[in-house]
Amino acid sequence: MVKFVVYIVVAVLIACVCCTTLEYKPAKMAECLSEVGVTEDDIKEIPSNDKNKIACFWKCIMEKTGVVSADGVVHPDKVEIAFPEVAPKLPAAVLNEFKTCLGTVGNINSCEDVQKIRSCLKND
């Protein structure tokens, strides 16, 4: 039962992180939109017409907030900086499970590597 609740909460996190309504905007969003060349509408579009640009947008967010360093190393302890409105609302166990998973994904060196982070959000 606890695992089911964890998956539900993570699913809510996915919805927030994907900015489907853009009520919540991750730190550095405007900067990364400009840098990558996407718009808020592009981010809201599901499925996206340009998945690579969207992945590059998320890589930019992760790098600008310190979750991913310039050399691709993932720093799970920085998640709250990247997602300051979402992370504090998650139960500690869910946030810790997500951070633990992030610590196992390896380096994020390309936009496509962002998919490794998504694996931490899946209900497998």
Side-chain angles (χ1 to χ4, degrees), residues 83-96:
F83 306 103
E85 294 180 33
V86 175
K89 295 176 183 173
L90 293 174
V94 173
L95 186 59
N96 288 336

Side-chain angles (χ1 to χ4, degrees), residues 58-121:
W58 285 111
K59 182 175 182 282
C60 177
I61 294 288
M62 298 295 182
E63 288 176 342
K64 299 273 185 203
T65 57
V67 175
V68 174
S69 64
D71 58 352
V73 175
V74 177
H75 299 280
D77 57 314
K78 308 274 181 155
V79 167
E80 290 89 350
I81 295 168
F83 306 103
E85 294 180 33
V86 175
K89 295 176 183 173
L90 293 174
V94 173
L95 186 59
N96 288 336
E97 185 175 320
F98 178 64
K99 287 176 165 184
T100 298
C101 181
L102 284 180
T104 68
V105 298
N107 285 4
I108 305 297
N109 296 311
S110 69
C111 297
E112 293 79 25
D113 287 343
V114 170
Q115 191 66 20
K116 293 191 248 180
I117 292 174
R118 280 195 55 177
S119 70
C120 292
L121 299 172

Side-chain angles (χ1 to χ4, degrees), residues 1-11 123:
M1 180 65 171
V2 171
K3 204 165 196 168
F4 175 74
V5 172
V6 167
Y7 291 136
I8 296 299
V9 173
V10 170
N123 181 354

